[in-house]
Amino acid sequence: MRRNIVAGNWKSNQLFSQADELINDIAEKLRNFDSTDVDVIVCPPFPYLELVSDAAEDVEFFVGAQNVSKFDNGAYTGEVSAAMLQSMNIDYCIVGHSERRKYFFETNRDVAEKVDRLLKVDINPIVCVGELLEEREEGRHFDVIRSQVSEGLFHLSKDQITKVILAYEPVWAIGTGKTATKDQAQEMHAFIRGLIADKYSDDVAQDVSILYGGSCNAKNARELFAQPDVDGGLIGGASLKHEDFIEIACSF
Ligand code: 13P
């Protein structure tokens, strides 16, 4: 059965001392947290993975990276391989975030390759999909999401796809304060689940967690998470404020 998940994507934020303070505050709040209903994941920048992993040792939360190389270990200056993440016991890794698609020209094919690298070393990919504002305005949002999901993931086996978490992040909602309405989120999440059901089976589709991301905050999380196909959130800005992040994690 799929899990509820709240994942914090710190993006390229926080200096070391700020990251230290933030994760200590989060860990403190999570110390007495009942994690029966939700898995909490924190995804800091690469240099802070060890810091966050250390904090996760005696508190119940998981650690994720924000990106992974599509190459194996080797002469790829500046890259971080899946094997390196595995060697640090990283549990999850975000793939295909719209900021990586926009600024680093990542394609659906890159997403597929990165997902393969991660699954090979038992790291669960958190695969982001989402349409641009003009794509929605032109009524192409379902086509865009269909391509991103099928080209990024539909080479996987049944067993592999259930290890993937999807995150629907409409690009127009990211960092803008323009959250998707609960109906817009539910409509797209149900569409994504339907794609998985068509390709694999209903049972498989019911096992895949689909998170919403894009100006999700402590005020709107409860309403979004109450939708039947919204299994939690991928949180940007609000994950940098420990009180807001924890409140979001308590929104089921
Ligand atoms: P915001 O929550 O800041 O809109 O960012 C969402 C996001 O991109 C998470 O990956």
Side-chain angles (χ1 to χ4, degrees), residues 20 58 77 82 107 113 164 183-184 208 239:
D20 192 23
D58 57 341
T77 301
T107 62
E113 290 179 20
V164 172
D183 294 338
Q184 286 172 323
V208 175
S239 74

Side-chain angles (χ1 to χ4, degrees), residues 9 11 97 99 128 169 173-176 213-216 234-238:
N9 174 10
K11 306 193 179 184
H97 193 282
E99 289 147 15
C128 302
E169 299 205 311
I174 295 177
T176 59
S215 299
C216 183
L234 182 54
I235 318 299

Side-chain angles (χ1 to χ4, degrees), residues 66-83:
Q66 297 174 16
N67 184 30
V68 67
S69 176
K70 62 180 179 176
F71 300 104
D72 206 347
N73 284 350
Y76 305 103
T77 301
E79 290 293 276
V80 174
S81 72

Side-chain angles (χ1 to χ4, degrees), residues 94-128:
I94 298 170
V95 180
H97 193 282
S98 63
E99 289 147 15
R100 298 223 48 98
R101 293 178 192 258
K102 177 177 177 188
Y103 299 116
F104 305 97
F105 313 109
E106 286 190 4
T107 62
N108 293 335
R109 195 194 159 89
D110 294 326
V111 170
E113 290 179 20
K114 290 180 178 202
V115 165
D116 288 345
R117 289 280 174 203
L118 291 167
L119 289 175
K120 230 183 238 173
V121 296
D122 283 328
I123 295 175
N124 296 89
I126 304 173
V127 175
C128 302

Side-chain angles (χ1 to χ4, degrees), residues 46-160:
F46 285 132
Y48 310 146
L49 281 172
E50 191 175 359
L51 178 82
V52 171
S53 293
D54 286 349
E57 238 163 52
D58 57 341
V59 185
E60 188 86 357
F61 70 91
F62 298 93
V63 186
Q66 297 174 16
N67 184 30
V68 67
S69 176
K70 62 180 179 176
F71 300 104
D72 206 347
N73 284 350
Y76 305 103
T77 301
E79 290 293 276
V80 174
S81 72
M84 292 174 197
L85 297 178
Q86 181 202 32
S87 72
M88 295 182 71
N89 298 317
I90 301 306
D91 310 294
Y92 294 90
C93 181
I94 298 170
V95 180
H97 193 282
S98 63
E99 289 147 15
R100 298 223 48 98
R101 293 178 192 258
K102 177 177 177 188
Y103 299 116
F104 305 97
F105 313 109
E106 286 190 4
T107 62
N108 293 335
R109 195 194 159 89
D110 294 326
V111 170
E113 290 179 20
K114 290 180 178 202
V115 165
D116 288 345
R117 289 280 174 203
L118 291 167
L119 289 175
K120 230 183 238 173
V121 296
D122 283 328
I123 295 175
N124 296 89
I126 304 173
V127 175
C128 302
V129 296
E131 81 283 1
L132 304 171
L133 182 60
E134 68 249 35
E135 290 167 338
R136 180 166 276 265
E137 285 175 345
E138 290 163 9
R140 294 191 289 123
H141 42 303
F142 292 113
D143 291 340
V144 170
I145 301 301
R146 184 188 292 107
S147 302
Q148 290 177 345
V149 171
S150 61
E151 291 170 28
L153 294 175
F154 282 179
H155 63 291
L156 299 178
S157 69
K158 267 191 183 187
D159 193 42
Q160 287 175 315

